[in-house]
Every structure is written in structure tokens, then in C-alpha cells.
Amino acid sequence: SGNSLTLCDCGTTGEITGGSGEHGGAIYVNGGTLTLYSGTITGNTANGNGGGVYVLNGSFTMSGGSITDNTANQGGGVLVENSTFTMTGGSISDNIATQAESGGGGIFVTGASSSFTMSGSSSISNNMASGRASRGGGIYLPSGTFTMSDNASVTNNTASNGGGVFTDGTFTMTG
């Protein structure tokens, strides 16, 4: 709690893979800060939320790297709760949220104080919320704010409702 973790792969092979847990199959941040510059978070599973990354009461900054092929009940790639997530580069792809009324194949953002800002060349693609009443194949935002700008893209995601984005919060798109 309150600490920070920075992942910076100066080569091309840095990877966190094969992890499993109740929340945050690869990484669980509780009240701290996570920064991802490069490297890959792939092939992880959470029985609860956040197959790749789970952030509770903290912050996550992603300027490069990839979060791919992770699985969870909700937030297949990333779940942030009462937290801030800033994505200026990198990709979140091919993740799956599996719960019957799942949400956020790629990203699940929850909590009134939560915010997700997506800009630069960041990409969210080919994610799936697979349940019969699923929401937000790419991004599910039941509360909080989502701001998308520049060349950021949300493409080819799948869900029963809101294949790309499903929100009950505030969504602002510019650029």
C-alpha cells in the first residue's frame, strides 16, 4: 500500500505470464502506483477481477507495452476501482471477461472517483465480454469518467451491449 512499481523492459522480451489469483492475475496494486513503459503482461488469470492488472485505490500509468490474452470474471485485461488509469501508448488486446453478466473484456473502470484517460497512440482491440448480458467488450465504465483523445483507438471488441464502450459514467471524446 502506497508503494510504486515501474516496469521498463529495455529489451524486447520482458514478460509477466502464467500468474493466477483471486484479483490481479499478474499484478495487484493496493493504494500504490504502477507504471508500465514496455514489456508484456500476458496469459494470466483472475478468478475474480483484473486478469492482467487490478488497481484498488491507486494509480496506473501505461505509456507502452501490452496487456494481452488475460482472463477474469470482469476486467479481462485491467480492472481499476476507485483509481486513476492514464494510457498514452501501448495496447490492451485479446483479453476476455467471462462472468455471465461480465463487463470490460479489455478494461473495467469502477467507482465514482475513478477516471480513465486514453490518448496518444494507445489501442484497445479484439477484447471480449463473453456473458449473455455482457457490457463493454473493450471498456466498461459503470461509474467515473472516461476521456479519449488524439489517435487513441478502440476497435474490434465484442459484447452483448456496447461492443467497444459501455458506460453509465461520463464519456468525453475529442480529436
Side-chain angles (χ1 to χ4, degrees):
S1 178
N3 293 314
S4 65
L5 171 65
T6 300
L7 301 175
C8 178
D9 171 32
C10 296
T12 59
T13 59
E15 185 174 86
I16 298 175
T17 189
S20 65
E22 183 62 27
H23 300 299
I27 299 171
Y28 185 121
V29 177
N30 183 5
T33 301
L34 171 63
T35 304
L36 177 64
Y37 290 109
S38 58
T40 303
I41 298 170
T42 186
N44 302 285
T45 303
N47 296 325
N49 301 317
V53 176
Y54 180 81
V55 181
L56 176 64
N57 300 317
S59 66
F60 177 22
T61 300
M62 181 175 179
S63 60
S66 64
I67 299 173
T68 184
D69 293 316
N70 300 286
T71 304
N73 284 342
Q74 301 202 90
V78 176
L79 190 138
V80 294
E81 183 175 352
N82 297 317
S83 299
T84 300
F85 180 16
T86 303
M87 184 178 182
T88 60
S91 65
I92 297 175
S93 63
D94 301 301
N95 299 287
I96 300 173
T98 60
Q99 187 173 312
E101 294 185 15
S102 65
I107 302 171
F108 188 116
V109 179
T110 187
S113 64
S114 288
S115 67
F116 174 44
T117 302
M118 184 179 179
S119 63
S121 61
S122 53
S123 169
I124 298 172
S125 63
N126 302 315
N127 299 286
M128 176 188 295
S130 64
R132 69 186 185 301
S134 60
R135 297 174 181 151
I139 303 162
Y140 178 39
L141 182 87
S143 58
T145 61
F146 171 36
T147 303
M148 182 176 169
S149 63
D150 302 328
N151 293 320
S153 64
V154 178
T155 58
N156 299 321
N157 299 284
T158 305
S160 297
N161 301 286
V165 178
F166 186 102
T167 182
D168 290 317
T170 303
F171 177 25
T172 304
M173 189 167 126
T174 61

